[in-house]
Amino acid sequence: SAVISQKPSRDICQRGTSLTIQCQVDSQVTMMFWYRQQPGQSLTLIATANQGSEATYESGFVIDKFPISRPNLTFSTLTVSNMSPEDSSIYLCSVEAAGDNEQFFGPGTRLTVL
Amino acid sequence: GENVEQHPSTLSVQEGDSAVIKCTYSDSASNYFPWYKQELGKGPQLIIDIRSNVGEKKDQRIAVTLNKTAKHFSLHITETQPEDSAVYFCAASFGHFLSKLTFGTGTRLQVTL
């Protein structure tokens, strides 16, 4: 399976600010995804990060709030913009390496917004 | 869209006993069903998965069964150990390239000594 790293691992931010989370994979992957996991909850897909084109967002998530970049096949960023305490969550990137549906997750970024 | 229900939300078993977690899904077109284990402070770890063309899959102490007719699938852990304590998530997806996973609500498994 691919080795996935995320930066930062955790952060505490003030409301109204923005945070960019990085996801790096040790090999080229076909698909990259961003999820949100609110405290004690399940995982919700935010968007699919498309290489070289705009991300595909799920219902309830918009580009202005969660801009995503994917400049190549091993790297993606998620920005959480104009943060409020409701954005306090774990943000996870995942990858599908071989087109076989198996998704592997990074360690997550634990965000607290004060 | 797909909806996945998972039960129970918490499960406590004694070490050495078996644990069973059940999930149901709504979209009959779903054809891929993974299970993830999430330990505290870590990302979810894929532990086993099953595709719709088989009814059961085993990997050492872990097994998954799938009933397509009833649209449910289950995780079975035998001879549980304290290190099995974690939150377990089931998920379902359809398609090959658009691998959008829909997750269940999670089961917190506690293995007691």
Side-chain angles (χ1 to χ4, degrees):
Chain A
S1 63
V3 176
I4 307 162
S5 60
Q6 286 186 234
K7 290 182 181 179
S9 59
R10 61 178 64 241
D11 207 342
I12 301 174
C13 301
Q14 297 297 319
R15 70 170 65 213
T17 63
S18 298
L19 177 72
T20 295
I21 302 167
Q22 298 179 3
C23 179
Q24 179 74 54
V25 192
D26 69 341
S27 58
Q28 294 185 344
V29 295
T30 53
M31 307 287 284
M32 295 182 78
F33 305 90
W34 287 98
Y35 288 81
R36 181 175 72 183
Q37 185 176 27
Q38 294 177 302
Q41 302 296 313
S42 186
L43 289 81
T44 301
L45 180 64
I46 297 172
T48 302
N50 300 308
Q51 194 264 328
S53 64
E54 194 170 284
T56 304
Y57 289 84
E58 297 302 304
S59 176
F61 298 96
V62 295
I63 188 172
D64 289 347
K65 177 67 175 178
F66 297 102
I68 287 171
S69 78
R70 189 177 173 193
N72 55 51
L73 294 176
T74 63
F75 185 79
S76 178
T77 66
L78 168 75
T79 299
V80 186
S81 302
N82 188 25
M83 289 184 285
S84 67
E86 292 72 35
D87 294 320
S88 297
S89 291
I90 300 171
Y91 291 88
L92 295 146
C93 73
S94 75
V95 306
E96 180 185 318
D100 60 358
N101 303 121
E102 289 188 348
Q103 281 190 34
F104 300 96
F105 283 83
T109 295
R110 284 146 188 81
L111 171 62
T112 301
V113 184
L114 302 177
Chain B
E2 177 65 277
N3 182 51
V4 178
E5 295 187 357
Q6 183 171 347
H7 299 280
S9 57
T10 60
L11 179 60
S12 182
V13 300
Q14 284 199 323
E15 182 179 8
D17 288 350
S18 295
V20 181
I21 303 170
K22 299 181 179 180
C23 288
T24 60
Y25 60 98
S26 60
D27 189 347
S28 57
S30 290
N31 58 8
Y32 175 66
F33 307 93
W35 285 90
Y36 289 87
K37 174 184 180 182
Q38 187 174 29
E39 297 174 287
L40 192 63
K42 297 184 178 181
Q45 174 193 1
L46 177 65
I47 57 172
I48 195 167
D49 55 16
I50 191 168
R51 301 180 191 275
S52 58
N53 57 346
V54 297
E56 183 176 0
K57 183 177 179 180
K58 292 184 71 174
D59 182 5
Q60 300 183 333
R61 296 187 296 109
I62 295 174
V64 56
T65 59
L66 172 64
N67 184 324
K68 288 177 57 180
T69 303
K71 290 190 286 187
H72 67 70
F73 56 112
S74 300
L75 178 71
H76 305 253
I77 305 174
T78 58
E79 302 173 24
T80 54
Q81 302 168 1
E83 50 265 39
D84 294 328
S85 296
V87 179
Y88 291 81
F89 292 98
C90 64
S93 78
F94 165 73
H96 197 64
F97 294 106
L98 191 60
S99 310
K100 292 167 53 173
L101 290 175
T102 301
F103 282 82
T105 49
T107 297
R108 183 172 299 278
L109 173 64
Q110 181 70 46
V111 179
T112 58
L113 297 173

